[in-house]
Amino acid sequence: MSSKVLIARHGNRFDFVYPQWFNTAVRRYDPPLSEDGIIQSSELAERLKCENIDHIIASPFLRTIQTAHPVAQLLNLPIKLEAGLGEWHNPDWMTEKPQIHPRKELDYIYDYIDWSYTSQIIPIYPETEAMVLERMEKVTQLLIKQFSGNLLLIGHGISVLGIIRSLLKNNIDIKASLCSLTILVNNGHYWQLELEADTSHLTNSQKKSFFIKE
């Protein structure tokens, strides 16, 4: 059983800064980080270097991989890609199931990805809010049972909310800012919230909420 779960939302998105990118993108629902999002991911890595992280598990979207990569480099840990932590397949945001970057386009750049890991849950399209929160509940419980030690989970706004609710067993409402950090600790009997959506490690913090667009 995991002893600590650290949850980070991805850094700022390229299409948040350049909305016109969406109109010509090949994978319009899988944008990269923006320039300041890349800086945020490096600042997150510096914040996490003393947290004794044992496993890094990230959503397979490009922005979460790019957020995880500086952490993996700094800590020399592999990144496990878990589709269950992935974006909310919200039909109000997406006209079809989102296409993500394939392995052949990621291999040479993101060499810390552990391709031997197999996702435990695969999202379906379309998804209601109830469905995505149920997905987050299931994947959270699977991950904390499978991996011991301290877990870093990197996902989206809905991921942060769903993981927290799953561990605290209540309907707490937390709106995680971009590249924010939340920490929950297992005291042996139940999980406690130690740090909530903190952005003090960032020089440039955005306040977009997940329900606007993840």
Side-chain angles (χ1 to χ4, degrees):
M1 175 72 74
S2 304
S3 56
K4 183 183 284 190
V5 171
L6 303 94
I7 316 161
R9 186 182 176 189
H10 61 79
N12 197 16
R13 292 168 44 153
F14 193 83
D15 59 335
F16 282 170
V17 179
Y18 305 104
Q20 67 275 17
W21 171 89
F22 181 85
N23 298 324
T24 57
V26 175
R27 299 180 184 87
R28 55 186 183 168
Y29 301 121
D30 194 21
L33 294 179
S34 61
E35 294 93 334
D36 61 314
I38 293 170
I39 294 171
Q40 289 175 334
S41 66
S42 296
E43 292 174 334
L44 176 66
E46 283 296 317
R47 167 64 179 83
L48 293 170
K49 66 182 180 182
C50 297
E51 286 290 346
N52 296 316
I53 293 167
D54 297 294
H55 303 279
I56 301 173
I57 307 171
S59 155
F61 284 76
L62 183 58
R63 56 193 178 274
T64 45
I65 295 172
Q66 290 180 323
T67 303
H69 197 250
V71 185
Q73 289 179 307
L74 192 61
L75 302 182
N76 194 30
L77 288 173
I79 304 168
K80 299 175 176 63
L81 300 183
E82 172 54 61
L85 294 175
E87 175 67 286
W88 179 2
H89 288 23
N90 187 336
D92 292 334
W93 299 348
M94 307 172 177
T95 58
E96 71 273 339
K97 183 179 176 67
Q99 294 184 31
I100 58 176
H101 286 66
R103 176 175 178 174
K104 65 182 180 180
E105 295 186 23
L106 299 172
D107 253 346
Y108 297 109
I109 304 174
Y110 307 106
D111 52 352
Y112 278 84
I113 296 176
D114 176 7
W115 293 107
S116 68
Y117 177 81
T118 301
S119 290
Q120 304 193 51
I121 295 179
I122 304 297
I124 62 172
Y125 178 90
E127 256 183 338
T128 64
E129 184 176 8
M131 289 168 66
V132 69
L133 289 173
E134 181 181 3
R135 164 159 65 89
M136 294 302 167
E137 160 73 20
K138 289 180 178 178
V139 75
T140 300
Q141 296 303 319
L142 287 169
L143 292 175
I144 64 172
K145 289 176 182 176
Q146 179 175 352
F147 298 104
S148 60
N150 299 329
L151 308 187
L152 172 62
L153 308 181
I154 300 180
H156 312 265
I158 193 68
S159 315
V160 179
L161 179 66
I163 295 165
I164 293 172
R165 287 187 177 185
S166 175
L167 294 178
L168 296 183
K169 303 300 182 186
N170 64 41
N171 289 329
I172 187 172
D173 186 19
I174 292 178
K175 295 177 177 65
S177 297
L178 296 164
C179 222
S180 62
L181 178 65
T182 298
I183 301 177
L184 295 100
V185 178
N186 186 341
N187 67 5
H189 302 284
Y190 54 87
W191 289 89
Q192 295 177 299
L193 188 60
E194 181 179 276
L195 186 68
E196 179 182 331
D198 180 58
T199 56
S200 62
H201 51 283
L202 302 178
T203 56
N204 184 17
S205 173
Q206 284 76 27
K207 300 296 183 183
K208 281 186 178 290
S209 300
F210 78 86
F211 53 80
I212 296 174
K213 183 179 271 191
E214 186 29 9

